Amino acid sequence: MKQSNSLFFIAVLLSLVSCAKMEEKRYMPVNKNAMPEVVQLLDFLYSIQGKYTLTGIHNFASDINRYDQVVDSLTGKTPVIWGSDFSFNALGENQCDFRHCGPLNLTVPGNRTVPCEVLNLSTTQQRQLIVDAAIKKYHEGRIITLMWHCCWPTNGDDCNGDDIWRWADNLPSQEEWDELTTDGTELNNLWKKQMDGIAVYLKQLQAAGVPVLWRPFHEMNGVWFWWCNKPGENGFKKLWISMYNYLTDYHKLNNLLWVWNTNAPRNNPGDEAGPYADYYPGSDYVDVLAADVYHADWKQSHHDELVALGKGKIISLGEVGALPSTEVYENQPQWSWFMPWGYFILNSDNVKIAKDIYNHPRSVNLDMIDFSDQTYKLKK
């Protein structure tokens, strides 16, 4: 009996030590030259990992504060995470069909009081609005996340939305993909020219000392964007690594935390999303593993499989349509932040639950952040 008790206590002790080691495991940014603000932000994310979840909201360039204001009106809170999109200009007769993703030249989606209209601001002006807002929000203690709906490289920043939303029957051929991801080809050079244009704005943020949760080419395991549905070593992984090397080594962008943002896997015919692992470029090129959850598809496996793939790295909800129920929220504690996609916060179910989720004991809003010395920490 005594021996059994001793073995039991040893097993408990080893379990506690193992858990403590897991909690203490923190990764440095994958970019070894990351500026101190980036290192500190990532360290902050690890300090709350599994304990708290940061709240967020996406805003569009054409109405840069609108959904901040909506969240405040619904919950009485200001989210910590502020998101926006470098986006594109929608061309063609069906421009307004793509209003939902916030093209730079269209009025903001979800604002039902404003008809879909073409704006007179240029791409440069709109992207500058995003950068100026991001700098301001950062100094208020917000954490900035940026993304990029990107036209096929031959079209630069101006395209019919169907050029981005290709769907499974119109995705690039393997020959086109190989040209895109091969240094020095015409298509590869056009893609780099697009990245040069985005780097201009990321460098402004770097000069202002603003760290960015950078999540380009999201939902790559789906079948809807041109960069989707290319699994394996010569697929999306190669594109991601090329982008990482170009922005990090050539453009010397050291203010980015690299957020690899998948879609939650699903088997919907014609709207599938493949397994996370088939598109993962590896831990040397990813700081945060994220998933987008739409259609209220809150499977526990979406959370657990991303945790397993990350091996201790931060995971997050890059975009959500429906907010999780409080039960789901409590059963999936490793999400380090969530961010509703702009106007989705106005969906009837979200309106009902928003106050409960944003005011949940595990949620961190801006009023809980101490940013007095330009570092992120929780108020005591």
Side-chain angles (χ1 to χ4, degrees), residues 64 82 127-142 144 146 201-212 255 371 374 376:
I64 207 72
W82 183 87
R127 287 178 175 169
Q128 192 61 53
L129 284 173
I130 293 171
V131 168
D132 292 345
I135 293 171
K136 181 177 183 292
K137 302 294 183 184
Y138 169 71
H139 287 295
E140 294 171 357
R142 308 288 288 277
I144 308 303
L146 295 173
Y201 301 98
L202 294 173
K203 286 178 180 179
Q204 286 187 46
L205 292 166
Q206 179 166 266
V210 179
V212 176
N255 63 324
F371 197 63
Q374 302 290 290
Y376 296 103

Short mmCIF file of all heavy atoms in Angstrom, two decimals, residues 64 82 127-142 144 146 201-212 255 371 374 376:
data_model
loop_
_atom_site.label_atom_id
_atom_site.label_comp_id
_atom_site.label_asym_id
_atom_site.label_seq_id
_atom_site.Cartn_x
_atom_site.Cartn_y
_atom_site.Cartn_z
N ILE A 64 -13.32 53.54 -41.25
CA ILE A 64 -12.26 52.91 -40.48
C ILE A 64 -12.61 52.63 -39.02
O ILE A 64 -12.01 51.77 -38.39
CB ILE A 64 -10.96 53.75 -40.59
CG1 ILE A 64 -9.72 52.88 -40.40
CG2 ILE A 64 -10.99 54.94 -39.63
CD1 ILE A 64 -9.43 51.97 -41.54
N TRP A 82 -7.29 45.20 -33.29
CA TRP A 82 -7.86 46.03 -34.35
C TRP A 82 -7.35 45.51 -35.68
O TRP A 82 -6.15 45.47 -35.92
CB TRP A 82 -7.46 47.48 -34.17
CG TRP A 82 -8.08 48.43 -35.17
CD1 TRP A 82 -9.30 49.03 -35.07
CD2 TRP A 82 -7.52 48.85 -36.42
NE1 TRP A 82 -9.53 49.82 -36.18
CE2 TRP A 82 -8.46 49.73 -37.03
CE3 TRP A 82 -6.32 48.59 -37.09
CZ2 TRP A 82 -8.24 50.33 -38.26
CZ3 TRP A 82 -6.10 49.19 -38.33
CH2 TRP A 82 -7.04 50.05 -38.90
N ARG A 127 -5.03 52.99 -48.45
CA ARG A 127 -4.06 52.24 -47.64
C ARG A 127 -3.37 53.15 -46.64
O ARG A 127 -3.04 52.72 -45.52
CB ARG A 127 -3.05 51.53 -48.56
CG ARG A 127 -3.67 50.34 -49.28
CD ARG A 127 -2.70 49.66 -50.23
NE ARG A 127 -3.31 48.45 -50.81
CZ ARG A 127 -2.80 47.77 -51.82
NH1 ARG A 127 -1.66 48.17 -52.39
NH2 ARG A 127 -3.42 46.70 -52.29
N GLN A 128 -3.19 54.40 -47.02
CA GLN A 128 -2.60 55.34 -46.07
C GLN A 128 -3.55 55.58 -44.89
O GLN A 128 -3.10 55.72 -43.74
CB GLN A 128 -2.27 56.67 -46.75
CG GLN A 128 -1.39 57.59 -45.90
CD GLN A 128 -0.04 56.96 -45.58
OE1 GLN A 128 0.68 56.52 -46.47
NE2 GLN A 128 0.30 56.91 -44.29
N LEU A 129 -4.85 55.62 -45.16
CA LEU A 129 -5.83 55.74 -44.07
C LEU A 129 -5.69 54.58 -43.08
O LEU A 129 -5.77 54.77 -41.86
CB LEU A 129 -7.25 55.78 -44.63
CG LEU A 129 -7.72 57.07 -45.29
CD1 LEU A 129 -9.09 56.86 -45.93
CD2 LEU A 129 -7.80 58.21 -44.27
N ILE A 130 -5.49 53.37 -43.62
CA ILE A 130 -5.31 52.20 -42.76
C ILE A 130 -4.07 52.35 -41.88
O ILE A 130 -4.12 52.12 -40.67
CB ILE A 130 -5.21 50.92 -43.62
CG1 ILE A 130 -6.55 50.63 -44.31
CG2 ILE A 130 -4.77 49.72 -42.78
CD1 ILE A 130 -6.47 49.52 -45.34
N VAL A 131 -2.97 52.75 -42.50
CA VAL A 131 -1.72 52.89 -41.75
C VAL A 131 -1.83 53.98 -40.69
O VAL A 131 -1.41 53.79 -39.53
CB VAL A 131 -0.55 53.18 -42.71
CG1 VAL A 131 0.70 53.61 -41.95
CG2 VAL A 131 -0.25 51.93 -43.54
N ASP A 132 -2.39 55.12 -41.06
CA ASP A 132 -2.53 56.21 -40.09
C ASP A 132 -3.42 55.79 -38.92
O ASP A 132 -3.12 56.10 -37.76
CB ASP A 132 -3.13 57.45 -40.77
CG ASP A 132 -2.19 58.09 -41.79
OD1 ASP A 132 -0.98 57.77 -41.77
OD2 ASP A 132 -2.67 58.89 -42.61
N ALA A 133 -4.50 55.06 -39.24
CA ALA A 133 -5.39 54.58 -38.17
C ALA A 133 -4.67 53.56 -37.29
O ALA A 133 -4.81 53.59 -36.06
CB ALA A 133 -6.65 53.98 -38.77
N ALA A 134 -3.91 52.67 -37.91
CA ALA A 134 -3.20 51.64 -37.15
C ALA A 134 -2.21 52.27 -36.17
O ALA A 134 -2.09 51.82 -35.02
CB ALA A 134 -2.49 50.69 -38.09
N ILE A 135 -1.50 53.28 -36.60
CA ILE A 135 -0.54 53.95 -35.71
C ILE A 135 -1.27 54.59 -34.53
O ILE A 135 -0.85 54.48 -33.37
CB ILE A 135 0.28 54.99 -36.48
CG1 ILE A 135 1.20 54.29 -37.49
CG2 ILE A 135 1.12 55.86 -35.53
CD1 ILE A 135 1.90 55.22 -38.45
N LYS A 136 -2.38 55.23 -34.82
CA LYS A 136 -3.17 55.86 -33.77
C LYS A 136 -3.70 54.82 -32.79
O LYS A 136 -3.62 54.98 -31.56
CB LYS A 136 -4.32 56.65 -34.39
CG LYS A 136 -5.22 57.39 -33.39
CD LYS A 136 -6.28 58.20 -34.12
CE LYS A 136 -7.13 59.01 -33.15
NZ LYS A 136 -7.97 58.14 -32.30
N LYS A 137 -4.26 53.74 -33.33
CA LYS A 137 -4.81 52.68 -32.47
C LYS A 137 -3.71 52.05 -31.62
O LYS A 137 -3.93 51.71 -30.45
CB LYS A 137 -5.49 51.61 -33.32
CG LYS A 137 -6.61 52.10 -34.22
CD LYS A 137 -7.80 52.61 -33.45
CE LYS A 137 -8.91 53.02 -34.40
NZ LYS A 137 -10.06 53.63 -33.69
N TYR A 138 -2.54 51.86 -32.21
CA TYR A 138 -1.42 51.27 -31.46
C TYR A 138 -1.08 52.12 -30.23
O TYR A 138 -0.88 51.60 -29.13
CB TYR A 138 -0.21 51.13 -32.37
CG TYR A 138 1.07 50.79 -31.64
CD1 TYR A 138 1.26 49.52 -31.09
CD2 TYR A 138 2.09 51.74 -31.49
CE1 TYR A 138 2.43 49.20 -30.41
CE2 TYR A 138 3.26 51.42 -30.81
CZ TYR A 138 3.42 50.16 -30.27
OH TYR A 138 4.58 49.85 -29.60
N HIS A 139 -1.04 53.42 -30.41
CA HIS A 139 -0.70 54.30 -29.29
C HIS A 139 -1.81 54.35 -28.24
O HIS A 139 -1.56 54.80 -27.12
CB HIS A 139 -0.35 55.70 -29.80
CG HIS A 139 0.99 55.75 -30.48
ND1 HIS A 139 2.17 55.53 -29.81
CD2 HIS A 139 1.33 55.98 -31.77
CE1 HIS A 139 3.19 55.62 -30.65
NE2 HIS A 139 2.70 55.89 -31.85
N GLU A 140 -2.98 53.85 -28.59
CA GLU A 140 -4.06 53.73 -27.61
C GLU A 140 -3.98 52.39 -26.86
O GLU A 140 -4.79 52.14 -25.97
CB GLU A 140 -5.41 53.83 -28.32
CG GLU A 140 -5.68 55.20 -28.93
CD GLU A 140 -6.92 55.21 -29.82
OE1 GLU A 140 -7.54 54.13 -29.99
OE2 GLU A 140 -7.26 56.28 -30.35
N GLY A 141 -3.03 51.54 -27.26
CA GLY A 141 -2.87 50.25 -26.62
C GLY A 141 -3.47 49.09 -27.38
O GLY A 141 -3.47 47.95 -26.89
N ARG A 142 -3.97 49.35 -28.60
CA ARG A 142 -4.53 48.27 -29.42
C ARG A 142 -3.41 47.44 -30.03
O ARG A 142 -2.28 47.91 -30.20
CB ARG A 142 -5.40 48.86 -30.54
CG ARG A 142 -6.47 49.84 -30.10
CD ARG A 142 -7.62 49.19 -29.37
NE ARG A 142 -8.47 48.41 -30.26
CZ ARG A 142 -9.45 48.93 -31.00
NH1 ARG A 142 -9.68 50.23 -31.01
NH2 ARG A 142 -10.21 48.14 -31.75
N ILE A 144 -2.42 45.44 -33.49
CA ILE A 144 -2.78 45.60 -34.90
C ILE A 144 -2.61 44.28 -35.66
O ILE A 144 -1.55 43.65 -35.58
CB ILE A 144 -1.90 46.68 -35.57
CG1 ILE A 144 -1.94 47.99 -34.75
CG2 ILE A 144 -2.33 46.90 -37.01
CD1 ILE A 144 -3.32 48.56 -34.52
N LEU A 146 -3.17 42.88 -39.71
CA LEU A 146 -3.44 43.29 -41.08
C LEU A 146 -3.39 42.09 -42.02
O LEU A 146 -2.63 41.14 -41.79
CB LEU A 146 -2.43 44.35 -41.54
CG LEU A 146 -2.48 45.68 -40.79
CD1 LEU A 146 -1.33 46.59 -41.21
CD2 LEU A 146 -3.81 46.39 -41.00
N TYR A 201 3.86 50.34 -46.97
CA TYR A 201 3.01 50.66 -45.81
C TYR A 201 3.47 49.93 -44.56
O TYR A 201 3.44 50.49 -43.45
CB TYR A 201 1.56 50.34 -46.15
CG TYR A 201 1.10 51.12 -47.35
CD1 TYR A 201 1.09 50.54 -48.62
CD2 TYR A 201 0.77 52.47 -47.24
CE1 TYR A 201 0.71 51.28 -49.74
CE2 TYR A 201 0.40 53.22 -48.36
CZ TYR A 201 0.38 52.61 -49.60
OH TYR A 201 0.03 53.35 -50.70
N LEU A 202 3.92 48.69 -44.72
CA LEU A 202 4.45 47.97 -43.57
C LEU A 202 5.71 48.65 -43.03
O LEU A 202 5.97 48.65 -41.82
CB LEU A 202 4.74 46.52 -43.95
CG LEU A 202 3.52 45.66 -44.30
CD1 LEU A 202 3.95 44.29 -44.82
CD2 LEU A 202 2.59 45.51 -43.10
N LYS A 203 6.50 49.26 -43.93
CA LYS A 203 7.71 49.99 -43.50
C LYS A 203 7.34 51.25 -42.73
O LYS A 203 8.06 51.65 -41.80
CB LYS A 203 8.58 50.31 -44.70
CG LYS A 203 9.33 49.12 -45.25
CD LYS A 203 10.16 49.47 -46.48
CE LYS A 203 10.89 48.25 -47.02
NZ LYS A 203 11.69 48.55 -48.24
N GLN A 204 6.25 51.89 -43.10
CA GLN A 204 5.80 53.05 -42.33
C GLN A 204 5.46 52.63 -40.90
O GLN A 204 5.80 53.33 -39.94
CB GLN A 204 4.56 53.67 -42.97
CG GLN A 204 4.80 54.46 -44.22
CD GLN A 204 3.54 55.16 -44.69
OE1 GLN A 204 2.84 55.78 -43.89
NE2 GLN A 204 3.25 55.07 -45.97
N LEU A 205 4.80 51.50 -40.77
CA LEU A 205 4.46 50.99 -39.44
C LEU A 205 5.73 50.61 -38.68
O LEU A 205 5.83 50.84 -37.46
CB LEU A 205 3.52 49.80 -39.57
CG LEU A 205 2.12 50.16 -40.10
CD1 LEU A 205 1.36 48.91 -40.52
CD2 LEU A 205 1.33 50.93 -39.06
N GLN A 206 6.70 50.03 -39.37
CA GLN A 206 7.96 49.70 -38.73
C GLN A 206 8.67 50.96 -38.23
O GLN A 206 9.17 51.00 -37.09
CB GLN A 206 8.86 48.95 -39.70
CG GLN A 206 10.23 48.58 -39.13
CD GLN A 206 10.96 47.56 -39.98
OE1 GLN A 206 10.89 46.36 -39.74
NE2 GLN A 206 11.68 48.03 -40.99
N ALA A 207 8.69 52.00 -39.05
CA ALA A 207 9.34 53.26 -38.65
C ALA A 207 8.65 53.87 -37.44
O ALA A 207 9.29 54.56 -36.63
CB ALA A 207 9.34 54.23 -39.82
N ALA A 208 7.34 53.62 -37.31
CA ALA A 208 6.59 54.15 -36.17
C ALA A 208 6.66 53.23 -34.95
O ALA A 208 6.05 53.52 -33.92
CB ALA A 208 5.14 54.37 -36.58
N GLY A 209 7.38 52.12 -35.08
CA GLY A 209 7.54 51.20 -33.96
C GLY A 209 6.33 50.32 -33.70
O GLY A 209 6.16 49.81 -32.59
N VAL A 210 5.51 50.11 -34.73
CA VAL A 210 4.27 49.35 -34.56
C VAL A 210 4.46 47.89 -34.96
O VAL A 210 4.72 47.59 -36.14
CB VAL A 210 3.13 49.96 -35.40
CG1 VAL A 210 1.84 49.15 -35.22
CG2 VAL A 210 2.90 51.42 -35.02
N PRO A 211 4.33 46.95 -34.03
CA PRO A 211 4.35 45.53 -34.41
C PRO A 211 3.02 45.14 -35.04
O PRO A 211 1.97 45.66 -34.67
CB PRO A 211 4.55 44.82 -33.06
CG PRO A 211 3.93 45.74 -32.05
CD PRO A 211 4.14 47.14 -32.58
N VAL A 212 3.07 44.24 -35.99
CA VAL A 212 1.88 43.86 -36.75
C VAL A 212 1.72 42.34 -36.75
O VAL A 212 2.67 41.61 -37.05
CB VAL A 212 1.97 44.36 -38.21
CG1 VAL A 212 0.77 43.87 -39.02
CG2 VAL A 212 2.08 45.88 -38.27
N ASN A 255 9.07 44.11 -38.21
CA ASN A 255 7.96 44.45 -37.30
C ASN A 255 6.78 43.50 -37.44
O ASN A 255 5.69 43.80 -36.95
CB ASN A 255 7.49 45.89 -37.55
CG ASN A 255 6.92 46.10 -38.94
OD1 ASN A 255 7.40 45.52 -39.91
ND2 ASN A 255 5.91 46.95 -39.05
N PHE A 371 -0.77 49.86 -21.11
CA PHE A 371 0.19 50.15 -22.19
C PHE A 371 0.97 51.43 -21.88
O PHE A 371 1.47 52.10 -22.77
CB PHE A 371 -0.57 50.27 -23.52
CG PHE A 371 0.30 50.17 -24.75
CD1 PHE A 371 1.02 49.00 -25.03
CD2 PHE A 371 0.40 51.23 -25.63
CE1 PHE A 371 1.82 48.91 -26.16
CE2 PHE A 371 1.20 51.14 -26.78
CZ PHE A 371 1.90 49.99 -27.03
N GLN A 374 4.44 51.62 -23.24
CA GLN A 374 4.51 51.11 -24.61
C GLN A 374 4.85 49.62 -24.68
O GLN A 374 5.43 49.13 -25.65
CB GLN A 374 5.52 51.91 -25.44
CG GLN A 374 5.22 53.41 -25.52
CD GLN A 374 3.98 53.71 -26.35
OE1 GLN A 374 4.00 53.55 -27.56
NE2 GLN A 374 2.90 54.12 -25.71
N TYR A 376 2.82 45.74 -23.76
CA TYR A 376 1.53 45.16 -23.43
C TYR A 376 1.62 44.33 -22.16
O TYR A 376 2.47 43.47 -22.03
CB TYR A 376 1.05 44.26 -24.58
CG TYR A 376 0.79 44.98 -25.87
CD1 TYR A 376 1.70 44.90 -26.92
CD2 TYR A 376 -0.36 45.74 -26.04
CE1 TYR A 376 1.47 45.56 -28.13
CE2 TYR A 376 -0.60 46.40 -27.24
CZ TYR A 376 0.32 46.31 -28.28
OH TYR A 376 0.09 46.96 -29.47
#
